[in-house]
Amino acid sequence: MPEVIRPVNQTDALVIPAEGGARVLASGPHEMCGVVGIYGHPEASNLAYLGLYALQHRGQESAGIVSTDGEHLRRVREMGHVNDIFTADRLAHLPGYAAIGHVRYSTAGDSTEKNAQPIAVDYAGGSVAVGHNGNLVNAVELREKLEADGSIFSTTSDTEVIVHLIARSKQTSLPDRVADALTQVRGAYSLVFLSEGIVMGVRDPMGFRPLVLGKIEKPSGTTWVISSESCAFELIGADFVRDVEPGEMVVIDEKGPRSLRPFDPRPARRCIFEWVYFARPDSTIDGRSVYRARERMGRRLALEHAVEADVVIPVPDSGVAAAIGYARQSGIPYDQGLMRSHYMGRTFIEPSQQIRHFGVKLKLSPVREVLAGKRVVVVDDSIVRGTTSRKIVGMIRAAGAREVHMRISSPPTVGPCRYGIDTPTKEELIASHNTVVQIRDFVEADSLGYLSLPGLFESVEGTGEATEAAKAGGKTFCDACFSGNYPIDPEPPGRLRQLRLINA
């Protein structure tokens, strides 16, 4: 049965169930997630479920939905995949005209049900639920201050910091409380909120994480939809309206959506890795098709790193569009030399490195008829630690390939993401302390070529020439993982530590 969140008015304190056991807070848990919000539909939770199903690639550890009938918030959240959690019976117990949903994955040691979202709480102004995609770089500092003032936390998620700031705000309306809370945080966030009467979507002032607005027009009325990606709209029959702009708050109630701009404007720094890897190929982010951007990455890669070969193959699924582009530009035939089992999750986002190593062989298998005796170009989106790439090269060679030339449709990953993607530490990133030649030798390829950073900017912008973004060094994008230039400073070194909270 779902939890029922009932409003209380006796105190400004949050009502959050306490949970036993030890818990660890790293310097803001790095997580990539997906969020969805629905307003104005009699089966809002069903639409939220379908939206989360379309966003499953953004998080495969836990999922949750909170709905409202105008009086109470009801919540179901668990570990696991969307279609395993939300049976027809459970969705029937999430009634109401509005709902928000969330899918999540996290770092190792932080994969527990208590950190599943949306977080739903009572406070003096009623009830509120929140789902968060991103990462707050000052979460530890804020948490310490809140705890010093008497706040009690029940999760290790940085999202709970936002909830406490909302509850402590002196503002009256929920949009004003949210704006007041978010002016105190630094970092990346695309957020959905739900109260008894409204759904809200908020994107941080630099626009790190995507957020889009859609609608479903019916004779009975209009349903409004907020989602991390536009790919969710196709499944639920919604039309794309527009991107939520950096620094924008969209408030949806019975009068429809209205736009607020409560934050000081800042230069946009959209995460370029969304186009490289994370977003689904059929999504459009800030007016740029993810699929076409990846195809152009492959074309540019073929120009920058040409090689004589017999076949171009992708590492499925994230390397497919770039491999098609490479083959079209080079004139080398494209084929499927590796088959992927879709019963396995994405190895990049598995929280345990042991699972990641084991998963490579379960996930991919070579097609000997395509590879035997051939000079093979294998295209992938990135090399992180290098261990997976080494296994893939070895797998292709074992299938009889004469040569293996690895091509990567992004620059070398030299720094961890501080803004919401679960990349390893700098020490674990092979490109942070090795040259391209050294990486080539480690993965045991005959040659290795990375897409240049200007080539990546031009591919995403979509012109194939020196665009304004490329001329300015890509300053409309965040490229910190490739350049080491962080647009928002991470926590000071003294704050990068763990908080251990143990119940006696």
Side-chain angles (χ1 to χ4, degrees), residues 69-212:
D69 56 5
E71 295 182 3
H72 302 300
L73 304 189
R74 291 176 171 83
R75 175 182 65 188
V76 171
R77 58 179 191 176
E78 281 189 8
M79 306 299 291
H81 289 186
V82 173
N83 62 334
D84 294 326
I85 297 169
F86 294 104
T87 62
D89 181 64
R90 283 193 163 178
L91 289 170
H93 286 88
L94 290 170
Y97 63 92
I100 63 171
H102 187 272
V103 289
R104 179 180 190 267
Y105 81 84
S106 66
T107 54
D110 195 39
S111 177
T112 59
E113 186 173 334
K114 68 185 174 186
N115 286 326
Q117 294 188 30
I119 296 174
V121 299
D122 299 325
Y123 72 107
S127 301
V128 64
V130 58
H132 176 202
N133 172 205
N135 187 63
L136 307 182
V137 299
N138 64 336
V140 172
E141 176 187 359
L142 290 172
R143 182 176 179 129
E144 288 180 338
K145 290 179 179 178
L146 288 164
E147 288 179 327
D149 288 341
S151 295
I152 298 173
F153 286 76
S154 66
T155 77
T156 60
S157 169
D158 56 356
T159 310
E160 195 178 353
V161 170
I162 297 173
V163 175
H164 279 271
L165 292 174
I166 291 171
R168 295 170 66 90
S169 173
K170 302 304 181 185
Q171 300 297 320
T172 53
S173 71
L174 181 60
D176 288 340
R177 283 178 176 263
V178 169
D180 183 34
L182 294 180
T183 57
Q184 302 173 61
V185 306
R186 291 187 298 113
Y189 54 82
S190 282
L191 297 155
V192 288
F193 294 89
L194 176 71
S195 72
E196 293 87 350
I198 62 174
V199 168
M200 295 169 49
V202 190
R203 194 174 181 190
D204 72 76
M206 302 184 84
F208 285 101
R209 298 285 145 235
L211 199 65
V212 291

Side-chain angles (χ1 to χ4, degrees), residues 37 92 149 233 241 254 270 397 409 436 462 466:
D149 288 341
F233 294 164
V241 175
E254 59 186 5
R270 299 167 175 89
R397 288 197 189 281
S409 60
V436 173

